[in-house]
Amino acid sequence: GSSENDYNDVFMDSKIYRKLKEYCIEGQKKNEIRNDVSAEELLKACISVFTGNIVKWCLNHKSFDLLKEDRNIMELIMKKSD
């Protein structure tokens, strides 16, 4: 069977992941997003949350704004502490 690592390896080798990682690194260098963890860890956290939100959205018959929910969560994950 496949494992979580298989899933991560497939996604992490994708063009979209590499582009998102570039954006995260750029944001960290510009001090726009938190840099106390690696860009890779930030992306893993976001991907996990997004995947969970999609499942929740489907199970709840699309009863909430998925994009809005994902943006709110991403801000919480990425936001620099003051």
Side-chain angles (χ1 to χ4, degrees):
S2 58
S3 68
E4 183 180 336
N5 284 340
D6 293 337
Y7 169 77
N8 286 336
D9 290 344
V10 168
F11 186 76
M12 291 170 69
D13 287 338
S14 70
K15 288 180 183 179
I16 191 167
Y17 178 85
R18 288 192 300 271
K19 196 60 165 172
L20 288 171
K21 188 174 177 183
E22 285 177 29
Y23 289 142
C24 277
I25 291 169
E26 182 179 332
Q28 287 176 319
K29 286 180 181 176
K30 291 180 177 179
N31 211 28
E32 296 172 340
I33 61 174
R34 63 186 293 180
N35 54 18
D36 58 326
V37 294
S38 70
E40 187 171 297
E41 289 300 316
L42 287 174
L43 285 176
K44 282 182 184 179
C46 287
I47 292 162
S48 293
V49 170
F50 296 160
T51 303
N53 274 345
I54 290 169
V55 171
K56 185 173 77 172
W57 182 72
C58 289
L59 292 174
N60 286 290
H61 310 287
K62 304 174 186 173
S63 64
F64 61 92
D65 185 336
L66 181 60
L67 184 58
K68 182 179 177 182
E69 185 73 15
D70 281 348
R71 282 184 180 155
N72 290 339
I73 297 288
M74 192 166 88
E75 285 181 23
L76 286 172
I77 293 170
M78 299 279 199
K79 186 176 181 183
K80 292 180 55 76
S81 59
D82 296 326

